[in-house]
Amino acid sequence: MAIHRKPTVTNPQASTNVESFIEQGGSVPLAPKKEKAKAIQYTQLRLTADEVELIDKAREGRRPKPSRHAWILEAIYEKVNTETSNQT
C-alpha cells in the first residue's frame, strides 16, 4: 500500500468557507405526511378452519394461485362493487 503525503490546501479561504458551512449545521429533512385515504388501517379477521379451507380450495383453481390475502381483498372489492352498484 502506497503512502501519500497529506494534500496541501491551495486556497486557504476555501477551507474556511467549508468549515463555516459545516458549523452552520442543518436540519433533518421532514418525512412527507401520509394522506388519510392511503394510510393502511389494519383489521383483524377471524375465520374458522372450515372457512379457510373453503378459501384455499377456491384459490387452487387459479393460475397463478393468489395469496390468501389477495384472494380475500378481491372478494371484498367484488362485494363492495356489487353493493354500491345496487344502490344507484
Side-chain angles (χ1 to χ4, degrees), residues 34-46:
K34 291 184 179 179
E35 297 177 17
K36 278 192 172 183
K38 293 185 180 183
I40 294 177
Q41 183 175 357
Y42 293 94
T43 304
Q44 187 174 10
L45 178 65
R46 294 178 184 92

Side-chain angles (χ1 to χ4, degrees), residues 21-78:
F21 176 74
I22 292 172
E23 288 174 3
Q24 289 176 1
S27 61
V28 177
L30 298 175
K33 293 182 179 179
K34 291 184 179 179
E35 297 177 17
K36 278 192 172 183
K38 293 185 180 183
I40 294 177
Q41 183 175 357
Y42 293 94
T43 304
Q44 187 174 10
L45 178 65
R46 294 178 184 92
L47 300 171
T48 64
D50 292 338
E51 292 167 334
V52 172
E53 190 176 317
L54 285 172
I55 291 171
D56 289 343
K57 284 181 183 177
R59 292 173 42 234
E60 287 295 325
R62 303 259 308 265
R63 294 289 177 241
K65 183 170 87 172
S67 67
R68 193 178 293 148
H69 174 81
W71 190 91
I72 291 170
L73 279 178
E74 190 177 299
I76 290 170
Y77 290 139
E78 286 178 13

